[in-house]
């Protein structure tokens, strides 16, 4: 993205079978772009001994078999890929995800709005008015970390996680938004629910989005949520996709 | 088709194969065995691939019997108390379980996990390419849960006509856990040199809070140089993260794929099982090693598992003859209890 040459990443060991290629320490789209470009370059011609690539906000974790691929050879390979003109990275998609902010789905929306000094409807409108970047997955299958949350609703996480929430919830916390596919204790605030399945192991492609995709939420009422949820349950993708 | 039938199971015994690979990037935990070496050893003793689906037995114990024909089983891991129809067996063993015979595993002298492998592995549906159970997300194994009485586990391969029964001789299984080898990083720069020294010195007591997700350590309180929040990055099995309270947490098989606390060090692959086998209340300390040293230890394990696993007749261990008769080990008899 930036015209000046990017600084050399740091190579950090996570044990003898995982290498962290760290491009920065912050949540930044330009840094995440570099992570995803290296991810794509390595994935397009997977070197023998590389087991798994895990892109995050600001680093790529490369799980490898050190008995098949030495650390030095892996570092050399990464440097070679970084020096070469980047392969065409996967074309990002722009998704529109239905989201119901109304009770009972947006169970913490009123609380979050009160803490931020806003009417609940306004907080929902602010959340639905933003465009988000899917930075990375983590925490649980399909749990998607979203950047781009407007400042007016950028609340910290609760100090204590609260009991399990629903599935397919849209969350706000720690200055980010997120989508959780599983019900787990969380310090995030539940602002809504999407009928779309971000993780559906029975589908040919179990995961809906790729890191680097962008999205917005489209508010729907409870009746529409229920109707879309039934269709999604039957295997249909109810989110809409266009080229980014 | 032959099967193992679960007669009783304590909490925490699950089906595990070599783990679920390729989906960490989507937040899917790899799961797989807590003690990868012992899991692989049990499989290899039957000639299986190292990652075949086996039972990981917790301290809660397990009782099984065979159905549809005799079933060869291989056990390896902690020093569990094992009996077959009441007769004691060594904890690392290949034995034949006849239909109706009861194989019991209970927490024994030492260790926290024991692996029970069968020829060809268990025939369990795969989710995202693996049979590994991850109970937190309810995937893999038997409906994503721990084993229960009444479960019937079909066996993928035929029981080989000639399985060599006896004690598994594996010096690498006798692994003292007092000193666990680590490679410092990836965020050791979040800790001043004296804090790194305190981390390595310990000693650390293994907390009773642990499970398949993490091993909690209690000991000196560690402080961070510049805060304890990092933008989330990847977590390898064995990563030792230090949250704000300063007590390290070693992330194990059921760990999350990414996390936001600085990681002072990572347990090397060959020592993951040693740590996993340490019981609550025992103490450990850590020793920093080079990447090359870790790879050499890994290569030694790999070489051991690649060769034929030595199995010695139990007679050498002076087990009572009644027990040997029960195992049908006597040469020249089809069934030692019913001489032809």
């Amino acid at each position: 993205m930036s015209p000046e040459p990017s600084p050399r990443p740091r190579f950090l060991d996570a044990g003898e079978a995982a290498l962290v290629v760290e491009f920065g320490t912050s949540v930044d789209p330009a840094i995440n772009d570099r992570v995803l470009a290296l991810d794509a370059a390595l994935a397009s011609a997977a070197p023998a001994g590389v087991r798994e690539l895990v892109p995050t906000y600001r680093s790529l974790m490369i799980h490898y078999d050190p008995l098949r691929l030495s650390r030095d050879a892996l570092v050399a390979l990464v440097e070679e890929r970084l020096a070469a003109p980047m392969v065409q990275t996967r074309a990002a998609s722009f998704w529109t995800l239905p989201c119901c902010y109304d009770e009972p789905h947006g169970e913490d929306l009123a609380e979050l709005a009160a803490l931020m000094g806003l009417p609940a409807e306004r907080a929902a409108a602010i959340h639905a008015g933003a465009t988000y970047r899917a930075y990375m997955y983590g925490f649980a299958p399909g749990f998607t970390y979203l950047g781009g949350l407007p400042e007016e609703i950028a609340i910290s996480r609760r100090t204590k996680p609260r009991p399990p929430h629903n599935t397919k919830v849209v969350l706000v916390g720690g200055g980010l938004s997120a989508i959780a596919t599983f019900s787990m204790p969380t310090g995030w605030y539940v602002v809504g629910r999407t009928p779309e399945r971000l993780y559906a192991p029975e589908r040919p492609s179990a995961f809906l989005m790729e890191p680097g995709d962008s999205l917005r939420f489209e508010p729907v009422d409870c009746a529409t949520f229920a109707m879309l949820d039934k269709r999604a349950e039957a295997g249909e993708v109810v989110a809409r996709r266009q080229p980014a | 088709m032959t099967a193992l039938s679960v007669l009783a199971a304590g909490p925490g015994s699950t089906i595990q194969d070599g783990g679920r690979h390729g989906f960490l990037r989507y937040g899917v935990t790899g799961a797989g065995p807590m003690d990868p070496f012992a899991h692989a050893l049990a499989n290899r003793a039957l000639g299986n691939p190292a990652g075949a689906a086996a039972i990981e037995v917790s301290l809660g114990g397990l009782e099984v019997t065979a159905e549809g024909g005799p079933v060869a089983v291989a056990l390896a891991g902690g020093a569990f108390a094992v009996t077959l129809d009441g007769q004691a067996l060594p904890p690392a063993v290949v034995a034949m379980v006849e239909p109706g015979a009861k194989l019991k595993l209970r927490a024994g002298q030492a260790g926290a996990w024991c692996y029970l492998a069968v020829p060809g592995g268990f025939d369990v549906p795969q989710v995202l390419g693996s049979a590994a159970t991850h109970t937190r997300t309810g995937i893999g194994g038997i409906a994503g849960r721990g084993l229960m009485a009444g479960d019937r586990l079909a066996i993928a391969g035929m029981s080989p006509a000639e399985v060599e029964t006896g004690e598994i001789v594996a010096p690498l299984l006798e692994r003292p856990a007092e000193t666990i080898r680590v490679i410092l990083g990836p965020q050791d720069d979040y800790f001043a040199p004296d804090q790194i020294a305190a981390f390595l010195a310990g000693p650390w007591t293994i907390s009773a809070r642990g499970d398949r997700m993490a091993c909690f350590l209690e000991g000196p309180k560690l402080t961070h140089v510049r805060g304890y929040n990092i933008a989330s990055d990847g977590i390898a099995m064995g990563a030792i993260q230090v949250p704000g309270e300063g007590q390290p947490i070693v992330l194990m098989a059921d760990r999350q794929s990414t996390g936001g606390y600085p990681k002072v060090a990572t347990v090397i692959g060959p020592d993951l099982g040693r740590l996993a086998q340490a019981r609550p209340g025992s103490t450990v300390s850590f020793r920093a090693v080079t990447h090359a040293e870790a790879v050499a230890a890994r290569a030694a394990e790999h070489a051991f598992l690649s060769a034929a696993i030595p199995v010695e007749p139990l007679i050498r261990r002076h087990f009572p003859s009644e027990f040997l008769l029960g195992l049908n080990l006597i040469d020249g008899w089809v069934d030692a209890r019913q001489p032809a």
Side-chain angles (χ1 to χ4, degrees):
Chain A
M1 237 178 220
S2 88
E4 65 265 24
S6 306
R8 190 175 179 268
R10 293 207 298 166
F11 294 94
L12 307 170
D13 289 309
E16 82 281 13
L19 181 74
V20 181
V21 185
E22 187 187 79
F23 291 94
T25 54
S26 56
V27 179
D28 176 320
I31 292 172
N32 191 236
D33 275 341
R34 296 190 67 204
V35 171
L36 297 178
L38 177 63
D39 176 49
L42 289 173
S44 67
V50 168
R51 286 175 158 165
E52 234 171 310
L53 301 168
V54 187
T56 67
Y57 293 119
R58 42 58 169 248
S59 63
L60 183 69
M61 177 171 267
I62 305 171
H63 293 272
Y64 67 105
D65 179 353
L67 301 182
R68 294 184 66 198
L69 176 65
S70 76
R71 182 192 193 275
D72 288 351
L74 178 58
V75 169
L77 187 94
V78 168
E79 295 202 315
E80 181 196 303
R81 297 285 158 91
L82 289 171
M86 276 301 170
V87 294
Q88 184 61 46
T89 54
R90 194 193 128 267
S93 297
F94 183 90
W95 297 90
T96 304
L97 262 70
C99 179
C100 181
Y101 292 93
D102 302 338
E103 293 285 352
H105 300 304
E107 53 190 290
D108 298 334
L109 181 69
E111 185 187 354
L112 174 139
L115 288 167
M116 303 308 276
L118 296 165
E121 301 72 32
R122 178 79 194 122
I126 291 170
H127 189 267
T131 296
Y132 299 90
R133 177 190 178 97
Y135 272 96
M136 58 180 276
Y137 286 97
F139 191 67
F143 188 102
T144 320
Y145 289 92
L146 307 174
L149 184 73
E151 278 297 320
E152 302 107 289
I153 53 171
I155 196 166
S156 304
R157 273 174 292 174
R158 298 171 196 274
T159 48
K160 263 194 177 175
R162 68 178 189 84
H165 49 65
N166 237 321
T167 60
K168 301 173 287 164
V169 290
V170 178
L171 304 165
V172 167
L176 296 163
S177 193
I179 308 167
T181 49
F182 281 85
S183 168
M184 290 186 175
T186 181
W188 300 55
Y189 294 82
V190 179
V191 297
R193 245 186 125 191
T194 178
E196 183 52 62
R197 270 69 173 159
L198 271 70
Y199 163 65
E202 66 282 2
R203 260 192 333 230
S205 176
F207 301 91
L208 190 74
M209 295 192 286
E210 288 292 329
D213 284 357
S214 50
L215 67 137
R216 59 180 286 274
F217 293 100
E218 182 174 63
V220 296
D221 60 25
C222 289
T224 309
F225 174 92
M227 180 265 292
L228 292 172
D229 192 45
K230 268 197 190 129
R231 283 165 48 186
E233 185 66 46
E236 186 183 339
V237 172
V238 297
R240 295 196 307 280
R241 177 187 199 164
Q242 355 165 186
Chain B
M1 194 182 212
T2 53
L4 271 193
S5 176
V6 178
L7 302 173
S13 289
T14 56
I15 299 285
Q16 296 297 337
D17 63 9
R20 193 164 277 107
H21 301 297
F23 299 96
L24 279 175
R25 61 187 293 114
Y26 296 109
V28 180
T29 291
M34 289 291 280
D35 182 343
F37 176 75
H39 178 273
L41 181 67
N43 273 314
R44 295 290 301 126
L46 292 172
N48 293 342
I55 300 175
E56 179 178 87
V57 185
S58 74
L59 288 172
L62 183 75
E63 190 178 330
V64 295
T65 188
E67 275 183 25
V71 173
V73 300
L75 306 179
F80 275 50
V82 182
T83 58
L84 181 59
D85 269 348
Q87 303 295 332
L89 286 182
V93 69
V94 178
M96 196 66 74
V97 181
E98 300 290 334
K102 283 183 186 170
L103 179 72
K104 283 191 194 182
L105 287 82
R106 285 177 293 110
Q109 297 164 359
W113 306 98
C114 184
Y115 295 88
L116 187 162
V118 294
F122 290 105
D123 188 12
V124 173
Q126 302 213 327
V127 180
L128 299 175
S130 165
T133 311
H134 187 244
T135 55
R136 275 186 172 75
T137 49
I139 61 175
I142 307 296
R145 59 164 170 78
L147 296 178
M148 298 190 317
D151 285 340
R152 189 178 177 279
L153 302 166
I155 289 156
M158 295 298 290
S159 216
E162 282 187 33
V163 167
E164 199 181 347
T165 58
E167 181 165 10
I168 299 172
V169 184
L172 291 175
L173 266 182
E174 284 157 30
R175 301 162 291 177
E178 293 79 35
T179 304
I180 300 292
R181 291 168 291 181
V182 297
I183 293 175
L184 292 177
Q187 282 93 31
D188 49 323
D189 57 348
Y190 273 68
F191 302 89
D194 66 325
Q195 294 302 296
I196 300 277
F199 162 70
L200 293 172
W204 300 97
T205 302
I206 311 277
S207 157
R209 282 167 73 198
D211 58 11
R212 276 184 45 88
M213 186 171 177
C215 170
F216 294 82
L217 303 173
E218 292 164 354
K221 179 178 157 44
L222 301 180
T223 56
H224 304 72
V225 175
R226 45 193 157 102
Y228 52 83
N229 283 303
I230 62 170
S232 284
D233 76 343
I235 296 181
M237 183 169 172
I240 306 176
Q241 68 176 20
V242 184
E245 59 176 8
Q247 298 294 282
I249 300 168
V250 192
L251 295 156
M252 300 299 284
D254 280 359
R255 73 200 180 278
Q256 297 162 10
S257 57
T258 61
Y261 292 116
K263 295 171 285 291
V264 63
T266 309
V267 176
I268 70 168
D271 284 8
L272 287 171
R274 297 173 59 203
L275 180 66
Q277 295 288 3
R279 284 203 187 161
S282 57
T283 56
V284 297
S285 60
F286 296 102
R287 180 163 73 85
V289 297
T290 62
H291 191 274
E293 193 175 333
V295 173
R298 200 179 178 96
E301 264 195 13
H302 182 76
F304 189 85
L305 291 171
S306 301
I309 303 301
V311 174
E312 285 186 356
L314 290 171
I315 194 157
R316 294 194 191 172
R317 298 289 169 134
H318 310 293
F319 282 88
S321 57
E322 186 190 8
F323 154 73
L324 292 170
L325 291 170
L327 281 181
N328 288 340
L329 286 173
I330 310 294
D331 249 5
W333 299 103
V334 176
D335 187 327
R337 289 162 298 192
Q338 294 178 327

